[in-house]
Amino acid sequence: MLEDRFLVRQLNQGSMRALRRIYEKYREDLFTIVVSLVGDRHLAEDCLQDVFVHLAESAGRIRIRSNLKGYLAGAIVNRARDRLRRESRQVDCPIDELQLEETPPHPDEQLICDEQTSALLQAIAGLPVEQREVFILYAQGAMSFRQIAGQQRVSIRTAHSRYRYAINKLRVLLKKANVV
């Protein structure tokens, strides 16, 4: 948190080194969030790039009220929504495209991990969009329910409910897939 404040201050003073550090620190988390929302690696990469280009262009004017990760997670969700709206695409998450890491050389362990990861990604993809957003922003984006509610323009109770419904549906879907 202290490092983030320092980085934002440095970025506001024009430091591209600070921008690079922010990118390195949060790129993987943000990519996981956006690919889970849009279901397409290429579109997710475009959204991620757009967010960081905008961050660079906003240097000197950035005011972050909460934490940097939450700010960036909100920005990536907004960008994903805009891109999906603009392209009039239905979110359809092909599981093959959601693999985020290369397969390590341990086949037995990796096979189990791949099956579990695939089942989890498929279950997340099966959630309604609003529930998926709340689940991803809370679990991966480390945003509070208050921040998520503001992001979705709903009450905090609604954000809590969407998260609870998402968790319940994930349990059912994962149980059917024999993962839980």
Side-chain angles (χ1 to χ4, degrees):
M1 187 78 134
L2 189 58
E3 179 190 19
D4 288 353
R5 289 182 188 160
F6 175 75
L7 289 171
V8 169
R9 189 175 330 115
Q10 292 296 309
L11 181 61
N12 279 332
Q13 294 172 357
S15 170
M16 288 301 108
R17 178 181 252 167
L19 178 65
R20 187 176 320 112
R21 175 66 185 125
I22 292 169
Y23 178 78
E24 290 168 353
K25 186 174 181 180
Y26 292 113
R27 132 187 100 207
E28 288 181 28
D29 289 340
L30 295 174
F31 185 74
T32 301
I33 290 169
V34 72
V35 79
S36 297
L37 292 173
V38 301
D40 180 291
R41 285 182 66 89
H42 300 293
L43 183 58
E45 289 167 356
D46 289 346
C47 291
L48 186 64
Q49 181 179 355
D50 289 349
V51 165
F52 279 97
V53 165
H54 180 73
L55 189 65
E57 291 171 346
S58 300
R61 302 183 311 267
I62 300 170
R63 302 288 177 262
I64 297 177
R65 295 183 196 123
S66 60
N67 65 40
L68 180 58
K69 186 176 181 180
Y71 173 84
L72 293 171
I76 201 83
V77 168
N78 285 336
R79 183 64 59 186
R81 284 181 189 155
D82 292 345
R83 293 296 291 262
L84 287 172
R85 242 182 270 131
R86 192 171 359 143
E87 295 183 17
S88 299
R89 293 174 55 152
Q90 193 70 322
V91 176
D92 184 24
C93 295
I95 297 307
D96 294 341
E97 292 186 19
L98 292 178
Q99 299 302 328
L100 302 177
E101 298 178 11
E102 296 296 319
T103 305
H106 306 291
D108 293 342
E109 293 174 5
Q110 189 59 42
L111 182 61
I112 292 169
C113 183
D114 284 348
E115 288 176 8
Q116 291 172 339
T117 300
S118 179
L120 178 60
L121 291 172
Q122 192 168 21
I124 291 170
L127 294 173
V129 176
E130 295 84 6
Q131 291 176 18
R132 185 180 330 145
E133 273 187 20
V134 172
F135 176 77
I136 291 168
L137 289 175
Y138 184 77
Q140 185 65 34
M143 291 177 72
S144 68
F145 285 113
R146 181 179 305 280
Q147 291 170 316
I148 295 167
Q151 177 72 29
Q152 290 191 331
R153 294 186 176 96
V154 296
S155 72
I156 295 172
R157 291 181 71 154
T158 299
H160 276 279
S161 295
R162 287 177 178 175
Y163 182 77
R164 189 178 69 249
Y165 292 139
I167 293 295
N168 290 338
K169 185 163 185 175
L170 287 173
R171 281 187 184 128
V172 169
L173 293 172
L174 292 173
K175 191 171 186 177
K176 285 182 184 177
N178 292 319
V179 176
V180 179

